[in-house]
Amino acid sequence: MLNSFIFIALPYAALALVLLVTPYRFLSNRLTWSAYSTQFLERKVLYWGINPWHYGILPILLAHVVGFAFPGVFKPFLGNPETLLGVESVLFGLGAFAVFGVFLLLLRRVNSGMLKRVTFSSDWLILYLLLFQAGTGIYIGYFMRWGSQWYLHTAVPYLWSIVSFQPQIEYVADLPLVFKLHAACAFLIVAVLPFTKLVHMLYLPLDFLKDPPLLYRWRSK
């Protein structure tokens, strides 16, 4: 029952929300399609949080996507023990970098009264989900070694079965609970993405390249 909920109901619900809500939000209220930078309210902790988060999570996300798209290429590549150890070490370091960054971003919101006033429930939700996702990823990387290899033999064929609308949860049904929580959190992030500021990751603001530079003036009292 739990496996069916996590590995069938959640991914299809998330997919439906992304495909239906995202274009509606973009077409009906494009002005909300932004991360709403809070740099003017606080910039020091933002710098030390946002950079580790992006430099850590983006390569990991790319590794997941490329492994999903081209599993046949990476299976022999990761079959070499030295290569596997190197990849695992790099990914673990990037994961720790990402956890550090998102934890700072969460603390930044908690400790700043000014930021709290412009932080909505959706902001708190996505931050906690991202922290949990990155944290469980670190746990899996440390306690369930060689994840980049077994990911290709379990999660990848399962994900392809979801994409082809022929779910085969037997690939992942017997994996430890922490993996199931990691997967469930990933699907939840996708599901709530159209309702949060994280939706800006789906938009390439190419029109801004044509806009003139903005001039900001500080007015002293």
Side-chain angles (χ1 to χ4, degrees), residues 70-217:
F70 308 103
V73 175
F74 287 94
K75 284 179 182 178
F77 176 72
L78 295 176
N80 184 308
E82 295 181 356
T83 302
L84 179 61
L85 179 61
V87 170
E88 289 280 304
S89 301
V90 170
L91 291 178
F92 185 83
L94 291 171
F97 210 38
V99 169
F100 172 77
V102 73
F103 183 69
L104 279 186
L105 293 176
L106 181 60
L107 285 183
R108 174 176 176 263
R109 298 271 177 175
V110 170
N111 294 327
S112 173
M114 293 182 65
L115 285 175
K116 280 184 179 179
R117 288 194 285 270
V118 296
T119 302
F120 303 100
S121 300
S122 59
D123 299 322
W124 294 117
L125 175 62
I126 199 63
L127 279 173
Y128 281 118
L129 286 175
L130 292 174
L131 179 60
F132 184 83
Q133 183 70 6
T136 52
I138 283 291
Y139 181 94
I140 292 171
Y142 187 81
F143 291 102
M144 301 168 58
R145 303 305 302 273
W146 324 127
S148 55
Q149 189 177 58
W150 56 255
Y151 166 78
L152 297 175
H153 297 275
T154 56
V156 167
Y158 155 71
L159 291 172
W160 275 112
S161 75
I162 290 294
V163 172
S164 61
F165 295 98
Q166 296 176 336
Q168 300 177 35
I169 65 174
E170 59 269 18
Y171 285 109
V172 289
D174 295 327
L175 290 176
L177 178 62
V178 64
F179 173 83
K180 296 178 182 180
L181 294 175
H182 187 70
C185 187
F187 296 139
L188 285 174
I189 290 173
V190 174
V192 304
L193 187 146
F195 305 96
T196 68
K197 296 170 186 174
L198 193 64
V199 74
H200 76 276
M201 66 180 290
L202 301 177
Y203 177 60
L204 295 177
L206 299 179
D207 290 341
F208 288 123
L209 297 175
K210 301 181 295 184
D211 294 340
L214 296 176
L215 179 63
Y216 289 95
R217 292 189 176 92

